Structure formats: C-alpha cells, structure tokens
Amino acid sequence: MSSMLGLARSSQPANRGDFQRRIDSAQSLPAFQVRLGHDHDFSITKLIEGEIIPRLLVAHATDAPPLVPVDGMDTITQDEVEAFAPLSLRVEAADLLDRVEAILARGVSVETLMVDLLAPTARLLGEYWKRDECDFVEVTMGLWRLQEIVHEISARTPAARQCAAGGRRALIASMPGDKHSFGALLLDEMFIRDSWITDRLSEVTTAELLGRVSEEWFDFVGLTIGYDYHIGALPTTIKGLRSVSRNPRLCIMVGGPTFVNNPDLAAQVGADGTAPDAKLAVKLAGKLVATHEREATY
C-alpha cells in the first residue's frame, strides 16, 4: 500500500546534518530569506512543497526501530506515540505508512489512529521545535508526512466519506497566519467521517475567512491554532465571523495545544467551546448546533 504514495526509497540513512546538507546543496532553488523565531513572515510550506520536498524525499533512516504491534490491541499507547514522533522527522512517508498499516492490522480503528497517534505526534513535533530539538523546516517536513498518511488512509474508505444531502455544514480552517494546517486537516477528516459536509481552508487570510462565511451558510466553524502568538487575534476574528455570518446561530469552536492545557480560554476569546481531541470536537459540535437549533424554535 505504501507504494501508492509514489515515494522513492533510499538505501542511505539520514540524520539532521545530512538533512541540512541536502537543503544547502539543492540546485537551482530560488533565492529566499528566512527570519528565524516564532514570528515567521514567509510561506515556508509553499517553498517546501514546490522546491525542497521533491529533492528530499529520498532521505530516510534505515536503522529506525520498528514499532511492534500487539495482537488484539485496539488502542494506542503513549510509548508508541513517543516512538512514532521522532520517526516522522527521519523517515519517508512510505515508511511511516508501513508502521501505520501494522497498527491498523491489529484492530485499531482509523479514528483512533488519527486521534490517538497522529494528532499527539503533531503536538510532539511542536514541542520539539519549542525546545530547539529540531528546526521549522524539519517540523514542516514531519507534518507533511503525517498529512500524506491521512490522505492515504482517507482514500481507502471513500464509502465512509459519503455525506447525506442537506446535512450540517462545517467550515474548518487554521487560524490566519498559521503556516501549519495539519490540525485542520485532521479535524476536517473526523467531521467528514461523521457525515458532515465540510469546507477546509489552509493558509487563509482573515478577509478570505470572513468572506467565505458571509457568502455561504455554515452551521459550524472550527478554528485550529498551532501557536500561542495567534491567540491575541482570536477575539476579533470570532467577533467578525459572527457579524458577517449568513447563519445568525453560527457555532464556533477553537482547538490547539493552548486550549488543551487551558480549556477555559475558549470562552474568554468568544468561542462556544473547545475539545481536547478531534473525536470529542465532533461530538461537542453536534450538541452545540442542536442546542442552537432548538433555541431558534422557541
């Protein structure tokens, strides 16, 4: 199944130094400037997807310790997450998919895989970056590999992605200015699997986000926030969404590491709620929308 990704394999191990040398030695890359730190003012994702990824997908570690599946286990352990996260920085997406397939083969559901393995892995990559254990490019590459896994798994179950006509509509978006959209991708997938009709926006501007809500009817908007420094703009963004929405009863939820650690912050920024993972977010969103619909009938 991993061959469906069309990724080349390499017989040479790669480490962080080798990763950086490959970037430095890549030929004919366009000139660009990168300002380090958390206040990025560039679209590193587009640069990586268009120029760097095609040159780097041959790099992976052949000596990575395998994940050992346990027959009959339908849960993901913390040890598995801690073993999988560093692999996402070191090996090809195809190799990661092999390990994911082993986990699915022992009876773990797709939803559990996404919520209990892939989402925590993405959060750990963010922690690695905050602790300067890897750089922004490495984190972006790791998240790209996780996205490829989600796309591959989703492609296997098209029947589960069918949405009933006239179903509830959700708009899922990463917070304007947030360069990483894996959280929005994962949330979107979970809503689709619960028969919602969804639109997903990534690397969107505030104007584009408000424009979409003003032009189309949505029952729900989910905003994912990867980094604390985007939270300051949330109250204004949420207020703007409510003011322009075609749905006067629009439900808005926020999610991300900061809200997992401080769920009360959701109410402070003007959202209707938050949830610690995508599976619970779908359940809460359904309850919120149903509550708003009942209130409208009174």
Side-chain angles (χ1 to χ4, degrees):
M1 182 62 70
S2 60
S3 61
M4 291 177 63
L5 292 172
L7 301 177
R9 296 179 182 272
S10 168
S11 60
Q12 298 298 321
N15 53 36
R16 180 173 177 178
D18 182 55
F19 186 95
Q20 188 62 51
R21 286 194 296 273
R22 288 175 184 270
I23 295 177
D24 295 339
S25 63
Q27 299 298 316
S28 68
L29 286 177
F32 67 98
Q33 293 182 342
V34 174
R35 186 173 67 195
L36 298 179
H38 289 181
D39 56 338
H40 303 289
D41 58 355
F42 60 93
S43 183
I44 190 70
T45 302
K46 292 181 180 179
L47 171 67
I48 289 174
E49 289 179 352
E51 299 291 344
I52 298 179
I53 285 176
R55 294 169 169 83
L56 298 184
L57 283 177
V58 296
H60 77 285
T62 58
D63 58 348
L67 294 177
V68 181
V70 179
D71 292 338
M73 285 193 63
D74 58 357
T75 59
I76 303 292
T77 68
Q78 183 60 31
D79 287 343
E80 285 178 296
V81 175
E82 293 177 357
F84 191 83
L87 291 181
S88 68
L89 298 174
R90 298 165 49 200
V91 308
E92 296 177 18
D95 292 326
L96 289 177
L97 184 60
D98 289 340
R99 290 164 169 80
V100 165
E101 287 174 333
I103 294 173
L104 292 173
R106 75 179 193 229
V108 173
S109 69
V110 170
E111 289 79 7
T112 296
L113 178 87
M114 292 185 178
V115 172
D116 294 341
L117 178 67
L118 301 186
T121 293
R123 287 194 291 269
L124 269 180
L125 296 188
E127 291 299 320
Y128 293 163
W129 179 46
K130 290 180 180 178
R131 299 196 298 259
D132 291 326
E133 295 177 12
C134 61
D135 59 35
F136 187 74
V137 174
E138 289 172 304
V139 170
T140 300
M141 288 294 292
L143 292 175
W144 176 85
R145 294 179 183 116
L146 296 182
Q147 290 176 7
E148 287 300 293
I149 290 174
V150 173
H151 289 314
E152 178 71 12
I153 294 173
S154 300
R156 299 181 187 183
T157 55
R161 296 169 60 85
Q162 296 295 328
C163 296
R168 290 171 174 170
R169 296 198 61 199
L171 178 65
I172 311 297
S174 49
M175 183 67 182
D178 198 328
K179 304 299 181 182
H180 289 153
S181 58
F182 179 73
L185 171 65
L186 200 61
L187 188 63
D188 179 63
E189 181 63 26
M190 296 301 292
F191 270 83
I192 289 174
R193 289 177 176 275
D194 197 52
S195 299
W196 288 66
I197 300 170
T198 71
D199 284 347
R200 179 170 62 87
L201 302 176
S202 60
E203 294 197 31
V204 67
T205 66
T206 300
E208 291 169 338
L209 180 62
L210 296 178
R212 182 64 66 89
V213 172
S214 67
E215 294 167 0
E216 301 180 38
W217 177 283
F218 292 101
D219 299 284
F220 171 86
V221 171
L223 295 175
T224 63
I225 298 90
Y227 305 110
D228 294 353
Y229 52 88
H230 287 138
I231 291 180
L234 261 177
T236 300
T237 301
I238 291 174
K239 185 179 293 184
L241 287 170
R242 296 193 190 281
S243 67
V244 302
S245 173
R246 293 187 60 185
N247 177 6
R249 301 180 301 278
L250 180 68
C251 295
I252 301 176
M253 285 180 60
V254 291
T258 299
F259 295 99
V260 172
N261 298 326
N262 184 11
D264 292 339
L265 184 59
Q268 295 176 28
V269 299
D272 294 301
T274 186
D277 61 55
K279 186 183 297 185
L280 293 176
V282 173
K283 292 182 179 179
L284 179 57
K287 292 179 181 179
L288 288 172
V289 170
T291 298
H292 284 207
E293 290 173 345
R294 286 195 300 269
E295 291 174 349
T297 62
Y298 295 149

